[in-house]
Amino acid sequence: MSRRSAAVTASLLTVLALGTATACSSGSHSGSQSVGSSGGVPTVKLMVGGIDKQIYLPYQLAQNLGFYKKYGVNVELSTEQDGGVGAEDAMASGQVDMAGAWYNHTIEFQAKGKAVEDVVQLSGAPGEREMCTKKSGVTSAADFKGKTLGVTDLGSGTDTLTQFLAAKKGVKTSDFHRIGVGAGSTAIAALQNGKVDCVMTTQPTVAAIEKKGVGASAIDLATTQGATAAMGGAFPAASVLARTDWVNQNKATVQKVVDALVATMHWINAHSAADIANKLPASFVSNQLVTKADYIAALNEDKGQFLPDGIMPAGGPKTSLATEKLVGNVKGSVDLSKTFTNDFAIQANKTEGFKTTTTPAGADG
């Protein structure tokens, strides 16, 4: 979904190497085979689309809280590298078992004849903000005409969202220019150097842009409420995706991963931004972009994107499908019931006696 600066990537690889050094590794296998195991504990490879981003914090948080181990699964986390294969594509090709990526990819895969499903939903909003320079004059997507807009990569989720917001305001894609600027320091530089008028990005990049005074939030897609106002409904973003054939062959293992992440979502809901930051790797919350105080303030602002119980919200799949169709990514019919399942999340909540507050999406989305 997203790409990351080389500097951040290097630091994260060090952190991940330390964090997974004690995890048992699975043998070489394709995605269609059963997961590896050690001592009867299954091992799952999960790649995240930018593991240091706030929108994707639950995957690493679950590791640091010891929840994967608690629920009986070894999860080997990895992250997209700048210019490398996307997490969802790595999953679809069998390089990893699962992807920490946006739900909308399941719709795109189905349109291409590939069966991929979302097994647990972590957020009800993209977690993105359209950050614009003051001189751009952009206060809504209606002002996109004639502007140059930065996205993480062409074809990425931020690219799709940018086109969708424009279309909602009657602005054609041909009326503005889109370029890939990545995230972090490269996105900030694009604003500073006048290469773009706006950039769609997430925390902690948003906080860094605001702190440097090079841009301000023009459109809020960072909370479920903001996404609903701008897009007409909740937009399910961060999730866990896996190939349907792999899910069907490894249901017990999938349940363990979902159990751990559902427990993490309830933990997030019950704890402060500072508590969460204290449980994450130091390089995630304090680096060349932001201080820890900045990170915590940003998380306080955008914590509303996270769903408390891992359940796909009613209307979410329909909103995502409408987005894909409006920008032309999907033209044929889509069976939404095959793009997600709430079965694992519902079972996880029942097992632990957690109270659920999200209204589940039905088979039609």
Side-chain angles (χ1 to χ4, degrees):
M1 172 70 66
S2 59
R3 301 294 184 264
R4 314 167 57 225
S5 69
V8 174
T9 298
S11 65
L12 286 178
L13 288 176
T14 300
V15 172
L16 291 174
L18 292 172
T20 59
T22 58
C24 299
S25 60
S26 63
S28 175
H29 65 279
S30 70
S32 63
Q33 295 176 317
S34 298
V35 296
S37 64
S38 178
V41 178
T43 295
V44 172
K45 294 181 179 180
L46 193 161
M47 180 182 284
V48 182
I51 200 167
D52 63 331
K53 293 188 172 184
Q54 282 193 4
I55 60 172
Y56 290 139
L57 70 82
Y59 311 101
Q60 184 67 50
L61 182 61
Q63 189 83 283
N64 289 14
L65 290 172
F67 285 170
Y68 295 129
K69 182 178 180 180
K70 175 182 177 180
Y71 290 98
V73 61
N74 292 320
V75 175
E76 295 182 351
L77 294 172
S78 60
T79 188
E80 286 184 9
Q81 296 187 35
D82 194 28
V85 64
E88 67 279 357
D89 293 322
M91 171 274 302
S93 65
Q95 296 177 50
V96 295
D97 305 308
M98 292 177 151
W102 283 9
Y103 159 72
N104 68 300
H105 291 300
T106 67
I107 295 173
E108 296 171 349
F109 279 126
Q110 186 179 131
K112 297 174 183 176
K114 297 181 180 180
V116 171
E117 62 188 84
D118 176 341
V119 298
V120 59
Q121 190 60 44
L122 309 183
S123 68
E128 308 278 348
R129 289 181 184 272
E130 191 73 33
M131 303 298 292
C132 302
T133 63
K134 186 176 181 179
K135 67 178 182 180
S136 71
V138 175
T139 59
S140 78
D143 303 316
F144 282 177
K145 190 171 183 178
K147 300 298 189 297
T148 297
L149 307 176
V151 298
T152 50
D153 290 295
L154 295 180
S156 68
T158 55
D159 190 16
T160 298
L161 285 176
T162 298
Q163 295 177 67
F164 178 76
L165 292 174
K168 290 275 284 185
K169 294 295 185 179
V171 180
K172 298 178 181 178
T173 302
S174 58
D175 289 335
F176 58 94
H177 184 51
R178 304 168 353 262
I179 61 173
V181 297
S185 59
T186 55
I188 295 170
L191 281 174
Q192 285 179 314
N193 300 334
K195 189 176 181 180
V196 297
D197 297 291
C198 305
V199 61
M200 184 174 287
T201 191
T202 63
Q203 300 287 8
T205 306
V206 166
I209 290 172
E210 292 174 333
K211 188 173 183 178
K212 291 177 179 291
V214 297
S217 177
I219 303 173
D220 170 22
L221 300 178
T223 64
T224 302
Q225 294 81 3
T228 300
M231 306 182 72
F235 185 90
S239 63
V240 172
L241 310 182
R243 294 208 328 270
T244 298
D245 62 342
W246 187 89
V247 172
N248 289 338
Q249 292 173 25
N250 298 281
K251 288 187 176 181
T253 298
V254 173
Q255 187 65 63
K256 293 175 187 295
V257 174
V258 174
D259 286 347
L261 285 167
V262 165
T264 301
M265 302 318 292
H266 283 282
W267 193 95
I268 289 172
N269 191 52
H271 288 77
S272 70
D275 290 336
I276 295 168
N278 287 336
K279 291 294 184 178
L280 292 172
S283 64
F284 284 28
V285 302
S286 180
N287 49 54
Q288 69 269 32
L289 293 180
V290 293
T291 64
K292 188 172 183 179
D294 293 331
Y295 187 95
I296 292 171
L299 184 54
N300 268 323
E301 186 176 8
D302 292 349
K303 191 166 174 268
Q305 69 189 274
F306 296 115
L307 297 170
D309 45 29
I311 291 174
M312 173 65 78
K318 288 182 178 179
T319 301
S320 189
L321 178 58
T323 304
E324 295 291 331
K325 286 191 171 182
L326 191 59
V327 302
N329 286 347
V330 174
K331 297 180 180 178
S333 61
V334 171
D335 184 350
L336 289 176
S337 69
K338 295 180 179 179
T339 63
F340 73 95
T341 177
N342 274 322
D343 292 349
F344 295 107
I346 289 172
Q347 183 58 50
N349 281 286
K350 285 183 178 179
T351 297
E352 291 297 326
F354 290 134
K355 179 181 179 181
T356 60
T357 56
T358 302
T359 301
D364 62 353

